[in-house]
Amino acid sequence: MHIEQEDTRVELVYGEDEAKYLLRDPVEIKALFRALLASRGLVSARMVPGGQSFITALIEADEQHGILLDASTDPLQNDRIAQSEALDCVTQLDRVRIQFLVRRPVRVVEEGKPGFRAPFPNTVLRLQRREFYRLQTPSSSSPRRVVCRLPLPLGDGTIREVELNILDISRGGLAIAVPPGGVTLEQGAAFEECTLLLPDNPPISARLIVRNLFRITRMNGVELLRIGCAFANLSRGAGDAIQRYVLRMERERNARERGLT
């Protein structure tokens, strides 16, 4: 999946594998949102453009008035949300990843509570295959961080091997972030002879195909280029090792959240 923006219209664009799990029927989409509302799950939203993320919640899914998302407690962040073209939203329902685009969120105050209202999205991605579950990896300061060694093409025509932190990973691919200056990449480019370094695993050789690129701005103002890649010709053994790592980390995270560790 990647985001395309033409003039003022923002679109989520999916690969062939993901598109099979796309809901387009308005009746199904509204039913899904009613289920999301009942589950009271949190929603991770990323502003487009800008890339700043925040946590919100779905507080209404009305047939006539559309959806209502909770506002932030930070007034400055609410200003940025109101100025965004769209919100790229991700949540889960019954451990299934749900992703949708909220266009032109409008700031409202209803019954004394601030929020952002928008129409129901035209499409919703509901990824039911567990191998597509994207694991958010530990931070770069963690001793269990996940990295990828790859040959990075630079603007002067040279190629330099670098070791970059992996932002998220699944059996289907991964995302990395690099400073945008001096990097020459485009969609469809290939990283040959990459090495994944997963904790408690031997190095994994992989070939990566760039599927999407966009700039993100962290809360500290630092701008990065986020590169989403798909694995190409990944061996079954390597794919199984990645899947085992994702599931193990997911189990450990769930145990921590339940206070079992």
Side-chain angles (χ1 to χ4, degrees):
M1 182 279 301
H2 67 284
I3 293 177
E4 287 187 353
Q5 186 169 354
E6 182 176 351
D7 297 327
T8 59
R9 186 169 179 81
V10 180
E11 297 285 352
L12 288 175
V13 181
Y14 300 96
E16 292 182 6
D17 288 333
E18 294 175 317
K20 294 184 292 186
Y21 302 93
L22 204 60
L23 296 182
R24 293 185 173 89
D25 185 343
V27 175
E28 284 188 294
I29 289 174
K30 291 174 182 177
L32 175 61
F33 270 83
R34 288 193 294 270
L36 288 173
L37 183 63
S39 73
R40 300 179 181 274
L42 296 178
V43 177
S44 174
R46 184 174 59 82
M47 300 177 213
V48 181
Q52 293 182 348
S53 298
F54 63 100
I55 300 298
T56 183
L58 180 67
I59 55 179
E60 185 177 295
D62 183 80
E63 185 77 22
Q64 293 184 334
H65 300 102
I67 65 173
L68 181 64
L69 296 175
D70 196 11
S72 171
T73 56
D74 181 354
L76 293 179
Q77 189 172 63
N78 286 332
D79 290 341
R80 291 191 292 268
I81 296 169
Q83 295 168 7
S84 63
E85 298 286 344
L87 301 175
D88 178 16
C89 297
V90 177
T91 187
Q92 286 194 20
L93 180 64
D94 298 330
R95 304 182 69 78
V96 174
R97 177 187 172 96
I98 308 294
Q99 183 172 11
F100 54 92
L101 197 67
V102 172
R103 302 179 188 282
R104 293 290 189 179
V106 176
R107 181 159 38 185
V108 296
V109 177
E110 299 183 5
E111 298 181 358
K113 297 180 180 180
F116 289 90
R117 189 171 287 283
F120 284 98
N122 297 325
T123 58
V124 176
L125 183 67
R126 185 175 60 186
L127 276 180
Q128 301 179 73
R129 291 176 57 182
R130 290 188 63 82
E131 60 264 38
F132 282 106
Y133 172 77
R134 287 271 175 159
L135 174 76
Q136 302 294 317
T137 56
S139 67
S140 58
S141 60
S142 170
R144 295 178 64 80
R145 70 190 184 109
V146 186
V147 299
C148 177
R149 291 177 185 155
L150 53 83
L152 188 68
L154 304 178
D156 59 4
T158 62
I159 295 178
R160 180 166 57 113
E161 184 174 80
V162 295
E163 187 173 285
L164 299 172
N165 292 309
I166 296 175
L167 302 177
D168 61 53
I169 189 170
S170 74
R171 186 168 185 154
L174 54 80
I176 53 178
V178 300
V183 178
T184 56
L185 281 174
E186 59 183 20
Q187 189 172 342
F191 290 121
E192 308 287 350
E193 299 180 358
C194 302
T195 303
L196 309 183
L197 301 176
L198 307 182
D200 306 321
N201 277 281
I204 296 174
S205 297
R207 181 173 183 263
L208 299 173
I209 305 296
V210 176
R211 293 302 188 203
N212 55 77
L213 306 95
F214 55 85
R215 283 174 169 78
I216 58 176
T217 304
R218 292 182 170 174
M219 295 301 292
N220 59 7
V222 175
E223 189 177 76
L224 296 172
L225 183 66
R226 184 187 188 279
I227 306 173
C229 300
F231 293 122
N233 304 320
L234 190 68
S235 70
R236 181 172 180 177
D240 289 345
I242 293 170
Q243 184 68 3
R244 285 194 299 271
Y245 168 75
V246 169
L247 294 177
R248 185 177 77 249
M249 293 300 294
E250 184 185 4
R251 285 194 299 269
E252 291 179 5
R253 183 171 299 173
N254 290 338
R256 287 195 300 270
E257 291 175 353
R258 295 196 302 270
L260 299 180
T261 60

